[in-house]
Amino acid sequence: MWDQRYAEEGFAYGTEPNAFLQSEYGRIPSGGRVLCLAEGEGRNAVFLARQGYLVTAVDQSSVGLRKALNLAADQGVEIETVVADLADYDLGREAWDGIVSISAHMPPSLRKQLHAQVVLALKPAGIFILEAYTPRHLEMAGIGGPSDRSLMMSLDELRGELSGLDFLIGQEVERYISEGRYHQGESAVVEIVARKRP
């Protein structure tokens, strides 16, 4: 499904970074190593590379990541890409200054497993930035996110899954999203910035 979506003309979610990431990325230690999860066509990874970070983008779609590399080249930066299913991908241990998860929706069992890895994979004082749709979004008119409620996230769930991180921001909000063809309109999201304890 993702290869098919990313094979469409243009960029499914645009080429500009996610607005929440754009407002909070500066909390990640300057020039650090950043891992972008389920990064698709690379808009967030390329933005971070332009800010001087060493960025690795992981996604299951080789089609999306090819477009990410082209976007990086067009903007004069380099990113590393890894084609992998997050169910099998090893994030490492104390390897990253920052990890970014924007609309990385997956079944709850996989999400819990991944978030446990995130805590281990961050360096001490490393930063995790997440934005995802909440179940409330299903009641709204905005376009975006999964249609399956179980794939969405709540702040309470994330606090439990990310024990070991201190939440600097943890909020469920409604905001207007305009990101390409597939994220448009009033949306209900959960937003997190969390720091690994030293």
Side-chain angles (χ1 to χ4, degrees), residues 21 25 27-37 48 53-56 91 94-101 118 121-129 194-196:
L21 174 64
Y25 77 90
R27 297 174 186 265
I28 301 171
S30 179
R33 296 184 69 225
V34 179
L35 176 65
C36 293
L37 303 172
L48 290 167
Y53 293 100
L54 304 172
V55 184
T56 298
L91 277 62
E94 295 192 358
W96 306 97
D97 297 285
I99 298 177
V100 173
S101 174
V118 163
L122 282 170
K123 295 178 183 178
I127 294 291
F128 181 50
I129 298 176
R195 179 184 288 127
K196 177 133 175 214

Side-chain angles (χ1 to χ4, degrees), residues 127-159:
I127 294 291
F128 181 50
I129 298 176
L130 175 146
E131 185 180 79
Y133 289 98
T134 68
R136 165 97 176 95
H137 183 69
L138 294 173
E139 304 165 21
M140 303 179 73
I143 298 168
S147 56
D148 182 346
R149 179 179 294 265
S150 74
L151 301 181
M152 295 176 161
M153 303 177 213
S154 73
L155 182 57
D156 284 346
E157 287 171 331
L158 291 169
R159 284 192 187 280

Side-chain angles (χ1 to χ4, degrees), residues 115-196:
H115 286 164
Q117 283 195 66
V118 163
V119 176
L120 295 174
L122 282 170
K123 295 178 183 178
I127 294 291
F128 181 50
I129 298 176
L130 175 146
E131 185 180 79
Y133 289 98
T134 68
R136 165 97 176 95
H137 183 69
L138 294 173
E139 304 165 21
M140 303 179 73
I143 298 168
S147 56
D148 182 346
R149 179 179 294 265
S150 74
L151 301 181
M152 295 176 161
M153 303 177 213
S154 73
L155 182 57
D156 284 346
E157 287 171 331
L158 291 169
R159 284 192 187 280
E161 294 168 14
L162 295 164
S163 60
L165 304 184
D166 293 324
F167 279 52
L168 309 178
I169 296 174
Q171 60 194 16
E172 291 188 11
V173 299
E174 295 177 8
R175 74 175 186 90
Y176 189 89
I177 293 179
S178 180
E179 299 175 337
R181 294 185 298 281
Y182 291 102
H183 285 172
Q184 285 290 332
E186 289 297 330
S187 305
V189 295
V190 57
E191 298 175 334
I192 285 172
V193 178
R195 179 184 288 127
K196 177 133 175 214

